[in-house]
Amino acid sequence: MAGRLVSVREGGGLVGAQSRQVTLADIAREAGTSASTASRALSGRGYVSPPARDRLLEAAERLGYVPDASARTLKQRTSRVVGVAVSDLGNQFYALLAAGIEQTLREADYQMVLVSDNSDRAQELSFARTFLAMRAAGVIMTPADSAAASLLARNGVDVVEVDRQLAEVPCDAVVIDNEEGGRLATAHLLELGHRRIGLLVADTDWTTDAGRLAGYRSAHAEASVVVDERLILPIVFHAPDAEQRIAALLDEHAPTAIFAANNQLAEHAWKVLRVRGLRLAQDVSLVGFDDVAWTSMVDPGITVVAQPTLELGRRAAHLLLRRIADPGCEPGFECLEPTLVVRGSTAPPTTPLAEHQP
Amino acid sequence: MAGRLVSVREGGGLVGAQSRQVTLADIAREAGTSASTASRALSGRGYVSPPARDRLLEAAERLGYVPDASARTLKQRTSRVVGVAVSDLGNQFYALLAAGIEQTLREADYQMVLVSDNSDRAQELSFARTFLAMRAAGVIMTPADSAAASLLARNGVDVVEVDRQLAEVPCDAVVIDNEEGGRLATAHLLELGHRRIGLLVADTDWTTDAGRLAGYRSAHAEASVVVDERLILPIVFHAPDAEQRIAALLDEHAPTAIFAANNQLAEHAWKVLRVRGLRLAQDVSLVGFDDVAWTSMVDPGITVVAQPTLELGRRAAHLLLRRIADPGCEPGFECLEPTLVVRGSTAPPTTPLAEHQP
DNA sequence: CTGTTAGCGCTTTCAG
DNA sequence: CTGAAAGCGCTAACAG
């Protein structure tokens, strides 16, 4: 093996590929110091005489020294990597969330290992193990189950839940006020005079959807309108029959308005209405959740509950950084407020008899 | 120090946090073998007697053993991490590209470290160093400069360029046929009868934009139409005056159609037209590049050159995996074909004099 | 201020 | 088939 190493070194003249990574020992030798001194000089921790430091830095620069992260991680038992698991990178919401996380992490000189777990419990758990193996400095996740967070916490890895909360262990979390969002959307429709409001909600036990549903109910209660339970339609993610079921809701229960509790469902609802030739606002009002690009570009624009997605990600990262800096601090919890953006897709209901009014 | 370790172990009863990671040595001791045997059993490389293997696997399972990735990386001098750098994670195109990469990497049990470099050369280079430090198994990037790829290649890290090509070293690449895309868009407009076609293109030296411009020119040449150079408008990324400049193009050079060479510019153009009250197709035709969601939802829909974005990402990851498996293979190059999706935003030009014709 | 020493946890010859 | 030994590159006591 020594023979192989040597021959590789001799072949180092090959254009393009350096034969061997340059190590601390190399630059120490070059500068005539020990490896420890080199370590101190380059990491900036501990005393090093200015002349020695200069020689070391110069040598490092000249030889193109890049410290080996795995050696450092092995020694320090923690890395500069943060594991991030989201449900679906293909969905603009999660992509933007990840962008916010990455931005903040980058500013603090941490790297993001990003995975998309498809809300699959088994995958989520498997990623937790991977993050454990990497000695991640922390993990930020949109949880689909509590097992991953438990496993991580048990092994001393800090977890931040974002968008949803499911953990059975105490941990930092940042969410938006889903109940308020649901209330804003529903109250807006009720104020316009709607009494039969269809609710399209994800069929999960997530706090997001539970919250939006709760807001839908409380808005009704505040307006003293009783909810027709048949107007509430839980739809499984990526269900192939989502649009058919929405159409059936329209046919069978005659809502005058629809509140779609996430961007995916809003898109489905919008398409169903278009295919059926139903006019937004005039025939059926529509409120979406999450202000994605298309909602402001279609005509009429879609009234939506906007959430500060990028900021959600940033806050999650900040929470994690705070905990890394101060491991003993109390679990942080942040709840960001959504806002209602009224556009042309909502209007007072038109009764069939009043169709010819202006 | 030994004392500290022991006391920590004794404190291991603390709910929630395990005192110390369980190591190979622990499970070897538990199973009554040496660490080497344990390593062989768990990694599946090398001979281990079935009974020993069983005991080892059982012990690993029971103690919740998670191998330390950094120790393995340090020893093997390469990790299961792939560095991915894209220009702007907030842009749906790059997000989808990343999603495709992640999906393929995940299937092969590699992790994606994702960074958004804002097309900033300095950041790109800094990330290259980070990936080097992590002993990344490879790097996939949408390059903004050639320096990063050179640095990585020089240090023996495989690079795949995706979407654009800038490297000065031979490396794998997967792009779409930008010239063909530009030609498709432009020929479509020329066939409709347009003779003054404005081109909105990013002001970069990227092969994407150069290709789309070349396609614009060659379509003109094939139709024997001479290009009025004043119709070509290079726009810097995130330029605050992008929409003003597009408006000025409209005013000063009276194009009857616009070809926006990326999704960002298409959105700008669409907004300018809307604000000015210009009707798509009737007053000005518009062709975009990249079939993002809103283009099929607005009315009329936008005619676009669609690119297989997710597939682009998948291919890039496959190219990298191929190279990891066979480091000596010839640099791979794949060029995916874009397709023209005709929607309502394009129609024959209306001359001012013919405004009243049906 | 600096060098010596001793590992972090894993893999890999190599000898048994 | 198995264990002993060495070492990946770095850092952190500790003694000088």
Side-chain angles (χ1 to χ4, degrees):
Chain A
M1 174 164 160
R4 181 135 57 87
L5 249 181
V6 170
S7 81
V8 171
R9 277 219 229 182
E10 284 168 349
L14 274 170
V15 275
Q18 216 159 277
S19 51
R20 198 179 59 96
Q21 285 298 330
V22 0
T23 75
L24 249 197
D26 294 328
I27 80 142
R29 190 180 331 109
E30 199 78 8
T33 75
S34 73
S36 343
T37 305
S39 173
R40 275 177 235 129
L42 297 183
S43 70
R45 275 188 291 269
Y47 300 107
V48 180
S49 72
R53 152 169 291 120
D54 290 347
R55 266 178 298 139
L56 256 351
L57 292 176
E58 184 276 329
E61 175 68 19
R62 183 159 44 79
L63 301 189
Y65 170 69
V66 178
D68 185 311
S70 53
R72 185 174 287 174
T73 299
L74 181 58
K75 180 71 192 176
Q76 306 191 142
R77 325 184 58 131
T78 181
S79 69
R80 305 236 15 129
V81 154
V82 169
V84 176
V86 299
S87 297
D88 177 12
L89 238 196
N91 183 318
Q92 179 79 83
F93 171 75
Y94 295 108
L96 214 55
L97 189 66
I101 294 171
E102 194 273 339
Q103 186 189 317
T104 300
L105 253 26
R106 172 158 36 91
E107 289 165 4
D109 202 30
Y110 279 83
Q111 284 81 49
M112 169 177 80
V113 174
L114 179 62
V115 298
S116 181
D117 61 25
N118 302 305
S119 309
D120 181 297
R121 290 157 153 80
Q123 275 201 50
E124 191 172 276
L125 201 56
S126 135
F127 285 134
R129 248 184 287 271
T130 301
F131 294 153
L132 225 47
M134 300 175 93
R135 298 290 180 265
V139 169
I140 300 174
M141 61 192 301
T142 58
D145 188 39
S146 66
S150 298
L151 175 64
L152 290 163
R154 205 180 320 131
N155 287 81
V157 176
D158 299 320
V159 176
V160 176
E161 291 193 313
V162 63
D163 188 48
R164 306 191 279 272
Q165 291 187 278
L166 261 91
E168 289 168 348
V169 291
C171 71
D172 296 312
V174 43
V175 300
I176 69 138
D177 189 341
N178 290 295
E179 181 163 354
E180 175 63 8
R183 192 182 356 246
L184 284 170
T186 311
H188 170 65
L189 292 169
L190 287 168
E191 276 159 25
L192 287 170
H194 293 277
R195 288 300 172 266
R196 298 190 57 73
I197 303 172
L199 174 66
L200 273 28
V201 66
D203 190 9
T204 66
D205 56 353
W206 296 354
T207 50
T208 39
D209 300 279
R212 292 165 204 183
L213 170 58
Y216 171 88
R217 288 193 191 283
S218 63
H220 277 81
E222 281 158 24
S224 304
V225 175
V226 8
V227 173
D228 179 345
E229 296 294 328
R230 296 168 306 175
L231 289 171
I232 299 175
L233 187 59
I235 300 180
V236 172
F237 271 117
H238 296 119
D241 63 344
E243 298 190 2
Q244 291 163 45
R245 294 191 59 213
I246 294 169
L249 174 74
L250 249 20
D251 289 340
E252 294 163 19
H253 302 297
T256 60
I258 288 183
F259 168 34
N262 67 44
N263 70 38
Q264 196 109 174
L265 292 172
E267 192 169 328
H268 282 312
W270 186 85
K271 284 182 176 159
V272 169
L273 294 175
R274 184 170 64 165
V275 166
R276 303 222 137 193
L278 290 168
R279 293 160 303 178
L280 280 171
Q282 288 165 276
D283 298 324
V284 179
S285 285
L286 176 64
V287 180
F289 205 106
D290 195 9
D291 192 13
V292 284
W294 67 268
T295 61
S296 63
M297 301 182 80
V298 296
D299 183 40
I302 310 299
T303 295
V304 295
V305 177
Q307 43 183 347
T309 313
L310 204 67
E311 183 63 15
L312 201 64
R314 285 203 204 99
R315 296 285 186 104
H318 278 302
L319 235 37
L320 181 61
L321 294 173
R322 186 192 66 135
R323 176 154 305 277
I324 290 171
D326 175 15
C329 68
E330 287 295 299
F333 174 74
E334 297 192 28
C335 184
L336 308 187
E337 288 307 316
T339 54
L340 184 71
V341 178
V342 177
R343 299 198 178 104
S345 69
T346 46
T350 322
T351 67
L353 295 176
E355 251 177 6
H356 294 124
Q357 290 182 359
Chain B
M1 172 158 163
R4 178 135 62 85
L5 251 180
V6 169
S7 80
V8 171
R9 275 219 230 183
E10 282 167 350
L14 274 169
V15 276
Q18 218 160 275
S19 53
R20 199 180 59 96
Q21 285 298 330
V22 359
T23 75
L24 249 197
D26 293 328
I27 82 142
R29 190 179 332 108
E30 200 77 9
T33 76
S34 73
S36 339
T37 304
S39 171
R40 274 176 236 129
L42 298 182
S43 70
R45 275 187 291 270
Y47 300 107
V48 180
S49 71
R53 152 170 293 120
D54 290 347
R55 268 179 295 137
L56 256 351
L57 292 177
E58 185 275 330
E61 175 70 20
R62 184 159 43 78
L63 302 189
Y65 171 68
V66 178
D68 185 311
S70 52
R72 186 174 284 175
T73 299
L74 181 59
K75 181 72 193 175
Q76 305 190 142
R77 325 185 57 131
T78 181
S79 69
R80 309 267 325 159
V81 155
V82 169
V84 176
V86 300
S87 296
D88 176 11
L89 197 44
N91 184 317
Q92 179 80 81
F93 171 76
Y94 294 108
L96 214 56
L97 189 66
I101 294 172
E102 194 273 340
Q103 185 188 319
T104 300
L105 252 27
R106 173 157 36 90
E107 289 165 4
D109 201 31
Y110 279 84
Q111 284 80 50
M112 170 177 78
V113 174
L114 179 62
V115 298
S116 182
D117 62 23
N118 303 306
S119 309
D120 180 299
R121 291 157 152 79
Q123 276 201 52
E124 191 172 278
L125 202 56
S126 135
F127 285 133
R129 247 185 288 269
T130 302
F131 294 153
L132 224 46
M134 301 175 92
R135 297 292 180 263
V139 169
I140 300 174
M141 61 193 300
T142 57
D145 188 38
S146 65
S150 298
L151 174 65
L152 291 163
R154 204 179 322 131
N155 286 81
V157 175
D158 299 320
V159 176
V160 176
E161 290 192 313
V162 62
D163 187 49
R164 308 191 277 272
Q165 292 186 279
L166 260 90
E168 287 167 349
V169 293
C171 71
D172 295 313
V174 43
V175 300
I176 69 140
D177 189 340
N178 290 295
E179 181 162 355
E180 175 64 8
R183 191 181 358 246
L184 283 171
T186 311
H188 170 63
L189 291 169
L190 288 167
E191 276 159 25
L192 287 171
H194 293 277
R195 288 299 172 266
R196 298 189 58 71
I197 303 173
L199 174 65
L200 272 29
V201 67
D203 189 9
T204 67
D205 55 353
W206 296 355
T207 49
T208 40
D209 300 279
R212 292 165 203 183
L213 171 58
Y216 171 90
R217 289 192 190 283
S218 64
H220 276 82
E222 281 158 23
S224 304
V225 175
V226 9
V227 172
D228 179 345
E229 297 293 329
R230 295 168 305 176
L231 289 170
I232 299 175
L233 186 58
I235 300 180
V236 172
F237 272 117
H238 297 119
D241 63 344
E243 298 189 2
Q244 291 163 44
R245 294 190 59 209
I246 295 169
L249 174 73
L250 248 22
D251 289 340
E252 293 164 19
H253 302 298
T256 61
I258 287 182
F259 168 35
N262 67 44
N263 69 38
Q264 195 110 176
L265 292 173
E267 194 169 326
H268 282 311
W270 185 85
K271 285 182 177 162
V272 169
L273 294 174
R274 184 170 64 164
V275 166
R276 303 222 138 193
L278 290 168
R279 293 160 305 178
L280 281 171
Q282 288 166 274
D283 298 324
V284 178
S285 285
L286 176 64
V287 179
F289 205 108
D290 195 9
D291 192 12
V292 284
W294 67 268
T295 59
S296 63
M297 301 182 79
V298 296
D299 183 39
I302 310 299
T303 295
V304 295
V305 177
Q307 43 183 348
T309 313
L310 204 67
E311 183 64 14
L312 201 64
R314 285 202 203 99
R315 296 285 184 101
H318 277 301
L319 234 37
L320 181 61
L321 294 173
R322 187 192 66 136
R323 176 154 304 278
I324 290 171
D326 176 15
C329 68
E330 286 295 299
F333 174 74
E334 297 192 28
C335 185
L336 308 186
E337 287 308 316
T339 54
L340 184 71
V341 178
V342 177
R343 300 200 178 102
S345 69
T346 46
T350 322
T351 65
L353 295 175
E355 251 175 5
H356 295 125
Q357 290 181 1

